[in-house]
Amino acid sequence: MATVDLVLPHHRYTIHIAPGLLADLGSMARKAAPHDRATLIIDDKITDTHGQAALASLKAASFDPLATTMTASEGHKNLATVQSLYHKLLDEHLERRSPVIALGGGIVGDTGGFVAASYLRGVPFIQCPTTLLAMVDASVGGKVGINMPQGKNLIGAFHQPVLVVIDTDTLNTLPKRDFICGLAECVKHGLIRDPELFDWIDQNINAILAQDSATLVELIERNVRIKAAVVMEDEKEAGVRAHLNFGHTFAHAIEAGTEYGRYLHGEAVSLGMVAAARLAAASGRCDSTVVDRLVALLKKTGLPTQANDLPTNDKLMSIMQSDKKVADGQVRLVLPDQLGKVSIVNDTPAHAIAAAWNTLR
Ligand code: GLY
């Protein structure tokens, strides 16, 4: 088993990564959050498979669990779902020491985490991510929250988990398209901070796509180490944590501009990273080889690097202006300086952003 420790001034937790780990969820949860009760929130697509395994493990460790499901769509990551979960926990008299455990992808983790952050002013939270994207990004670092009609993730909190349990076998039932989406965040980690990881993904791409068990553990461990290091440096996104948003301002505009129906998050991030890198190269910030290497690796993973069906630049630019990362009315972009190094840039002219959008078409 691989483990990564995340140490903050007032909190520390371990991220465990191994195949078959759900069988040990109960015993690990008991150590991290000792109580007789627990709430298990399960993505309703995996209730009968991983949900049953998690439930059996909790019961074997003498938990009396409240199991509930949620539909993992952006439309369900909202206050109505949170309110219905509050009612269930209150009706069952769940107490302050009983953990909330989220089993699923980022949507279940974000929603379950928001419930954990706010129920009785906060209860222990355990992340059991079952998508590659949630394993390498969303489940680590404590960002939890929900969507509003006005936009994604506008209501939320920082609520660090007490434990993260990554069972890599759960990826066996993940649709291939979703698995590939997780690779966008892995490539991102390499580009913003770790050229060796970038090269490693390139060299091991066949084993990664074949979902070789040992390769997956190494891929996830390497990425979790980067995510954990960033969070340890800057838990509340006052500085370096914003680097994780590389490609995301473009990506959010693509997702919102296509009504969240055409591109999965990782696909939009892939396109967003290409646009951001081309913008950086066009303005002389980085060498064009950074763009070439990024595009080549994204193509190898199967992620899109070109999109002929994007909304107009006017629409995309107006969504970018309403992004929560806008500061003092200026779009904040994360742009590469070189492979493994990025900077936050606040003064990019609108015509340069429009030109970057055009390179994707
Ligand atoms: N997913 C970006 C962050 O956790 O900061």
Side-chain angles (χ1 to χ4, degrees):
M1 171 163 64
T3 58
V4 178
D5 289 325
L6 199 152
V7 184
L8 295 165
H10 302 291
H11 186 71
R12 67 180 299 151
Y13 55 99
T14 302
I15 299 118
H16 302 259
I17 308 153
L21 212 50
L22 269 188
D24 300 327
L25 170 66
S27 55
M28 287 194 281
R30 214 159 235 295
K31 284 194 203 117
H35 197 252
D36 294 336
R37 305 290 317 276
T39 305
L40 179 66
I41 305 173
I42 312 166
D43 173 340
D44 64 9
K45 288 190 296 300
I46 56 169
T47 317
D48 295 336
T49 49
H50 311 308
Q52 286 308 319
L55 210 47
S57 173
L58 290 171
K59 286 181 182 162
S62 305
F63 275 106
D64 171 16
L66 160 66
T68 182
T69 62
M70 73 167 276
T71 303
S73 76
E74 292 291 349
H76 287 85
K77 185 178 147 178
N78 59 16
L79 269 177
T81 303
V82 167
Q83 188 170 4
S84 115
L85 288 164
Y86 288 152
H87 279 295
K88 285 181 186 155
L89 271 69
L90 288 167
D91 290 347
E92 286 272 338
H93 308 292
L94 266 300
E95 296 175 13
R96 264 209 177 135
R97 283 185 304 129
S98 51
V100 167
I101 305 170
L103 179 70
I107 290 174
V108 176
D110 283 6
T111 313
F114 188 67
V115 169
S118 49
Y119 180 71
L120 303 180
R121 295 206 182 89
V123 299
F125 177 43
I126 296 175
Q127 286 270 26
C128 283
T130 61
T131 65
L132 182 60
L133 206 134
M135 290 174 184
V136 297
D137 185 10
S139 68
V140 177
K143 277 191 184 174
V144 297
I146 51 168
N147 301 331
M148 291 291 284
Q150 290 87 341
K152 268 178 83 173
N153 296 328
L154 293 179
I155 306 295
F158 288 96
H159 188 63
Q160 298 290 343
V162 294
L163 170 72
V164 181
V165 177
I166 299 180
D167 180 346
T168 51
D169 281 348
T170 59
L171 296 175
N172 297 340
T173 52
L174 186 70
K176 199 74 185 173
R177 188 176 168 200
D178 292 296
F179 176 81
I180 288 172
C181 275
L183 295 176
E185 303 291 352
C186 301
V187 172
K188 177 194 81 179
H189 286 149
L191 190 131
I192 66 168
R193 211 169 153 105
D194 188 348
E196 264 182 41
L197 171 65
F198 193 94
D199 289 342
W200 184 88
I201 296 171
D202 203 358
Q203 283 151 16
N204 291 278
I205 192 65
N206 291 336
I208 292 170
L209 290 173
Q211 295 187 213
D212 169 68
S213 184
T215 308
L216 283 186
V217 172
E218 185 170 352
L219 174 75
I220 294 162
E221 182 191 357
R222 280 172 174 263
N223 279 279
V224 165
R225 276 197 196 287
I226 291 175
K227 179 76 195 267
V230 172
V231 172
M232 285 192 275
E233 263 177 64
D234 174 25
E235 182 187 2
K236 301 276 170 73
E237 199 169 310
V240 77
R241 187 162 180 172
H243 291 179
L244 297 169
N245 297 328
F246 172 56
H248 281 60
T249 305
F250 286 98
H252 288 154
I254 294 171
E255 289 178 276
T258 52
E259 281 74 42
Y260 298 96
R262 212 173 299 160
Y263 295 97
L264 297 180
H265 179 64
E267 294 165 348
V269 169
S270 176
L271 293 166
M273 290 193 292
V274 173
R278 290 220 176 105
L279 198 164
S283 56
R285 173 170 285 278
C286 75
D287 199 88
S288 63
T289 53
V290 175
V291 182
D292 297 342
R293 293 200 60 198
L294 176 67
V295 170
L297 182 53
L298 291 171
K299 279 188 176 159
K300 280 190 196 176
T301 64
L303 284 160
T305 56
Q306 202 80 39
N308 300 318
D309 50 1
L310 292 179
T312 62
N313 280 356
D314 281 351
K315 183 168 180 183
L316 292 165
M317 298 290 281
S318 111
I319 299 168
M320 279 176 125
Q321 285 291 347
S322 64
D323 194 280
K324 69 178 180 308
K325 289 183 278 298
V326 165
D328 300 326
Q330 291 197 302
V331 177
R332 267 178 108 211
L333 294 174
V334 180
L335 299 179
D337 303 317
Q338 61 190 58
L339 197 66
K341 186 171 178 301
V342 290
S343 299
I344 297 167
V345 180
N346 289 322
D347 57 357
T348 309
H351 67 82
I353 299 177
W357 281 122
N358 288 339
T359 68
L360 293 179
R361 299 188 166 96

